Amino acid sequence: MAGLHLSLAVIGLLLMLGGYLDWEFLTDPPKLMAICYSQAFLRLIFSRHAMRWVTAIEGFLIFIGSCWGMVRLLQGG
């Protein structure tokens, strides 16, 4: 289980970095990918500038959730 929380923490950090650095595949993916790619679906709703914030906030929430899960795992709960 620790590996899952660690991988989610890394994914969260990458999403925050991608939002900050404006990685195109996260902030402006092709619209045709909206059926199978969550970032493309969100891009249909938000502008590209807003997608930088959405991606960073999504990464932050995933990171916080993985840290919380790791703490609970280490406490034995």
Side-chain angles (χ1 to χ4, degrees):
M1 254 341 230
L4 172 67
H5 294 294
L6 182 60
S7 63
L8 284 174
V10 169
I11 289 170
L13 288 172
L14 287 174
L15 283 171
M16 286 189 281
L17 184 64
Y20 178 74
L21 295 177
D22 195 20
W23 289 348
E24 191 172 341
F25 71 96
L26 291 174
T27 59
D28 194 22
K31 290 180 176 40
L32 293 175
M33 296 290 294
I35 271 181
C36 61
Y37 183 43
S38 62
Q39 293 300 110
F41 177 74
L42 289 172
R43 178 63 178 94
L44 294 176
I45 300 169
F46 298 106
S47 69
R48 178 159 187 197
H49 179 70
M51 276 302 292
R52 292 182 73 182
W53 285 97
V54 169
T55 302
I57 290 170
E58 181 182 26
F60 180 73
L61 292 175
I62 290 172
F63 180 77
I64 293 299
S66 69
C67 290
W68 181 71
M70 183 62 90
V71 167
R72 288 189 41 97
L73 182 68
L74 292 175
Q75 289 177 347

